[in-house]
Amino acid sequence: MATWGEAVARATQRFTEAGLPSADVDARLLAEWVNTRRPELAALLTEGQVSQFEDAIVRRERHEPVQHIMGLMWFRYLELVSRPGVFIVRPETEMVTQAGIDTLAKISEPHPVVVDLCTGSGAIAISIATEVSRARVWAVEQDSNAYQLARVNNARYGSHVELVEGDARSALPELVGRVDVVITNPPYVPYSVELPADVLADPAVALYGGGDDGLDIPRQLVTRAYDLLKPSGVLIMEHSDEQGPALVDFAHRHGFVNGHTGCDLAGRDRWLYAEKEGM
């Protein structure tokens, strides 16, 4: 019987040969999942663990996302359920969420109103609701699979988010002019962009933003955010590292001021920050 150290090393080699970009990380994650905790490298696998780990390795070799294999994904302080057919959260969106939390810290309103458009699994909205307990958070999702998963994840953390199944471009008419922060990770990928197999496991509806530049839906959400926000309210929107100038320009031409882009840890432009013009 192999030790965990040997099993992880072999899995890493197989993932490398399969062309996976983070072979060692994937091997360790799957080992910890099978073992339910960080395994002692000198410890032996049980017979059941051998079978489960081999099944996980084979699925990963076929480029099935680790999150789908485990049924879990992590986002900031959250452990969320992950299911095929729903967008997998990624590290850059954690920084977008932080931008929203930093903005809320500057708002003196005792119970600021936050709307997360295109919430997917609910990651952004649930993070804000759990980390900024004074905020009142709504989240909108049109896709039924994603909406049902957001409900599951919301319940895991006390159901503090008001979830709405509907079109982000028209939902929540009752909140028009009452929102302090609109935050969103919308579909924004151009159809012409070639995506890796892991990303293509996500549903197309969560990836492609429409138009040659992928910004059809993001532009529609900029105008919807303008309607929802109070004067001086803030919009924060994730985008690709090439879309910042176009979105800043569009926001400025549609009633926003102080538009700029925020950078990820690699220094790439990754989200729009813009304020609705004040009274």
Side-chain angles (χ1 to χ4, degrees):
M1 193 75 69
T3 67
W4 274 110
E6 293 166 340
V8 169
R10 282 202 287 267
T12 300
Q13 181 178 352
R14 288 170 64 175
F15 293 161
T16 300
E17 292 170 354
L20 296 169
S22 53
D24 57 338
V25 174
D26 293 349
R28 285 187 279 107
L29 275 175
L30 290 173
E32 291 172 15
W33 171 66
V34 169
N35 195 61
T36 71
R37 65 184 189 282
R38 187 180 300 276
E40 293 291 335
L41 296 182
L44 297 176
L45 283 75
T46 66
E47 187 173 332
Q49 289 172 337
V50 169
S51 176
Q52 186 181 3
F53 195 43
E54 175 61 22
D55 177 68
I57 291 169
V58 170
R59 292 171 67 183
R60 185 64 186 132
E61 283 179 313
R62 296 171 180 162
H63 291 256
E64 183 175 350
V66 170
Q67 294 86 347
H68 290 174
I69 297 170
M70 298 187 301
L72 295 170
M73 55 188 177
W74 288 269
F75 187 83
R76 295 181 65 84
Y77 305 104
L78 306 177
E79 181 182 273
L80 302 172
V81 175
S82 176
R83 293 175 183 166
V86 181
F87 187 79
I88 297 169
V89 294
R90 291 177 171 81
E92 56 266 26
T93 307
E94 296 189 15
M95 299 186 67
V96 174
T97 304
Q98 186 63 54
I101 291 170
D102 292 344
T103 298
L104 288 168
K106 301 173 185 176
I107 295 175
S108 59
E109 169 70 36
H111 299 292
V113 175
V114 180
V115 170
D116 174 16
L117 299 176
C118 305
T119 195
S121 64
I124 293 176
I126 299 167
S127 290
I128 291 175
T130 54
E131 294 183 50
V132 187
S133 58
R134 67 189 182 97
R136 295 179 294 170
V137 184
W138 278 258
V140 181
E141 178 54 55
Q142 186 172 32
D143 180 77
S144 60
N145 289 329
Y147 172 74
Q148 293 301 328
L149 182 58
R151 290 185 61 186
V152 170
N153 285 323
N154 193 31
R156 286 166 68 91
Y157 290 93
S159 296
H160 295 298
V161 176
E162 186 70 33
L163 288 166
V164 175
E165 187 172 12
D167 191 330
R169 295 166 293 190
S170 59
L172 299 174
E174 69 275 19
L175 292 183
V176 166
R178 297 174 51 198
V179 178
D180 295 281
V181 176
V182 171
I183 189 166
T184 177
N185 178 18
Y188 55 73
V189 178
Y191 289 113
S192 59
V193 172
E194 292 187 18
L195 298 172
D198 278 22
V199 177
L200 287 172
D202 286 326
V205 68
L207 294 173
Y208 299 107
D212 292 339
D213 57 3
L215 290 176
D216 282 3
I217 292 174
R219 288 188 182 100
Q220 292 168 356
L221 295 182
V222 169
T223 59
R224 183 56 182 167
Y226 184 87
D227 292 337
L228 289 168
L229 288 167
K230 298 174 178 178
S232 300
V234 172
L235 166 63
I236 296 169
M237 175 183 288
E238 184 171 327
H239 56 69
S240 78
D241 53 2
E242 297 177 348
Q243 294 169 328
L247 279 175
V248 169
D249 177 67
F250 185 84
H252 283 165
R253 288 189 287 108
H254 289 80
F256 286 92
V257 296
N258 298 326
H260 61 269
T261 54
C263 295
D264 65 15
L265 291 175
R268 299 172 299 185
D269 292 345
R270 289 313 304 261
W271 70 87
L272 167 71
Y273 174 98
E275 299 170 3
K276 182 174 179 177
E277 196 165 17
M279 295 293 288

